[in-house]
């Protein structure tokens, strides 16, 4: 547990722990209509509180310092400082909020860049309200919002870029430092499995799974479960399916 804005909150690597305060959300989008629409929609979710807005990536760090959000809804395409750069800036901060990027296309190279920069997942701008609320709940407790199918589609978009071979080799080197059990847990995370599903699949207690995931985040220098999944997918690139 940790203190934020004077309120006690559960850490994101402990899914399922009840929160003592609403999830604080910051909305970042250059379109005022999008911001107002999201604010109005989220006002109907009792577990969520929209605490602020920013109209550009340059305003993200000051808004986070002012409002102390748990989750940032981040537009990718913004004119001055885009959501990828803003997400990278946030990820470099101590105890950053979880970032959900907002996009128009689900298999977009920019989405992958944002995930590599530290975003915990993405939302289509026309997602149903229930899906948006569910995604905010999910990333707030440390889960990802990506299916393995979407992850693979995104990675395939840049599989032929000049950095693909370097990324693949670096991912394999980082995974090689894991124990066999940790590699099994990493593979299960990459499959999109929840902690409870991993516990059942690998015959482990839930507490043991959580401990393994926490160690994976440290050993792989990953910001969240999505980055673990991206590493596993990068390492598997080029291998026979």
């Amino acid at each position: 547990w940790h203190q934020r804005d004077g309120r006690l909150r559960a850490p994101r690597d402990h899914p399922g722990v009840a929160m003592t305060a609403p999830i604080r959300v910051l909305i970042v989008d250059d379109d005022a209509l999008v911001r107002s629409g999201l604010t109005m929609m989220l006002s109907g979710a009792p577990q969520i509180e929209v605490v602020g807005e920013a109209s550009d990536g340059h305003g993200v760090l000051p808004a986070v310092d002012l409002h102390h959000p748990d989750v940032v809804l981040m537009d990718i395409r913004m004119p001055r400082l885009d959501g990828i750069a803003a997400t990278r800036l946030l990820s470099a901060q101590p105890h950053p909020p979880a970032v959900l990027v907002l996009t128009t296309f689900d298999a977009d190279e920019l989405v992958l860049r944002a995930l590599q920069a530290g975003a915990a997942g993405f939302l289509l701008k026309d997602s149903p309200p229930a899906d948006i609320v569910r995604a905010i709940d999910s990333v707030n407790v440390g889960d990802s919002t990506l299916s393995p199918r979407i992850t693979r589609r995104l990675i395939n978009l840049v599989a032929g870029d000049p950095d693909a071979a370097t990324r693949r080799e670096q991912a394999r080197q980082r995974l090689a430092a894991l124990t066999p059990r940790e590699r099994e847990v990493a593979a299960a995370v990459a499959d999109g499995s929840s902690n409870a599903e991993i516990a059942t699949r690998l015959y482990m207690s839930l507490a043991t799974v959580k401990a393994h995931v926490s160690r994976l985040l440290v050993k792989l220098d990953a910001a969240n479960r999505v980055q673990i999944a991206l590493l596993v997918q990068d390492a598997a690139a080029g291998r026979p399916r």
Side-chain angles (χ1 to χ4, degrees):
W1 296 79
H2 64 275
Q3 290 282 346
R4 174 179 287 170
D5 196 31
R7 289 186 266 192
L8 190 64
R9 297 185 177 276
R12 293 198 183 92
D13 58 353
H14 287 76
V17 177
M19 304 297 287
T20 59
I23 302 168
R24 298 169 63 83
V25 173
L26 174 73
I27 298 172
V28 183
D29 198 295
D30 63 324
D31 188 329
L33 286 176
V34 171
R35 296 198 307 273
S36 63
L38 285 169
T39 299
M40 185 179 304
M41 184 274 293
L42 292 173
S43 67
Q47 75 273 39
I48 292 173
E49 177 186 2
V50 176
V51 294
E53 300 179 2
S55 60
D56 181 77
H58 284 295
V60 171
L61 288 183
V64 166
D65 287 341
L66 177 64
H67 298 294
H68 307 289
D70 301 301
V71 176
V72 175
L73 296 184
M74 180 86 74
D75 187 21
I76 289 186
R77 294 172 174 84
M78 292 182 287
R80 294 198 303 152
L81 188 72
D82 65 28
I84 299 170
T87 297
R88 191 173 292 112
L89 287 174
L90 270 184
S91 297
Q93 304 303 306
H95 311 298
V99 174
L100 273 170
V101 294
L102 298 169
T103 181
T104 307
F105 305 103
D106 64 354
D108 188 321
E109 180 181 337
L110 293 180
V111 174
L112 178 59
R113 301 301 185 200
L115 297 173
Q116 291 170 331
F122 74 90
L123 288 168
L124 294 178
K125 287 192 174 182
D126 60 355
S127 296
D131 288 352
I132 296 176
V133 170
R134 192 177 304 114
I136 292 171
D137 284 336
S138 181
V139 299
N140 185 60
V141 295
D143 287 337
S144 72
T145 61
L146 296 181
S147 70
R149 176 180 61 83
I150 290 292
T151 304
R152 284 192 290 270
R153 282 174 58 195
L154 289 168
I155 288 176
N156 286 339
L157 283 174
V158 293
D161 71 22
D163 298 326
T166 300
R167 271 201 330 272
R168 180 170 61 248
E169 183 58 30
Q170 289 175 343
R172 290 176 181 175
Q173 289 176 2
R174 290 165 74 178
L175 293 174
L178 303 180
T179 66
R181 197 57 159 168
E182 287 169 344
R183 283 196 290 272
E184 288 181 323
V185 174
V189 169
D191 284 343
S193 299
S194 66
N195 284 351
E197 290 167 339
I198 295 172
T200 300
R201 171 173 162 182
L202 298 181
Y203 305 101
M204 302 164 67
S205 71
L206 189 57
T208 301
V209 173
K210 291 177 180 178
H212 274 298
V213 172
S214 294
R215 280 198 298 272
L216 285 172
L217 292 171
V218 173
K219 291 181 75 169
L220 297 175
D221 192 25
N224 49 50
R225 295 170 77 102
V226 168
Q227 291 199 335
I228 294 174
L230 292 175
L231 274 172
V232 172
Q233 296 287 353
D234 270 339
R239 288 177 176 165
R241 300 277 179 179

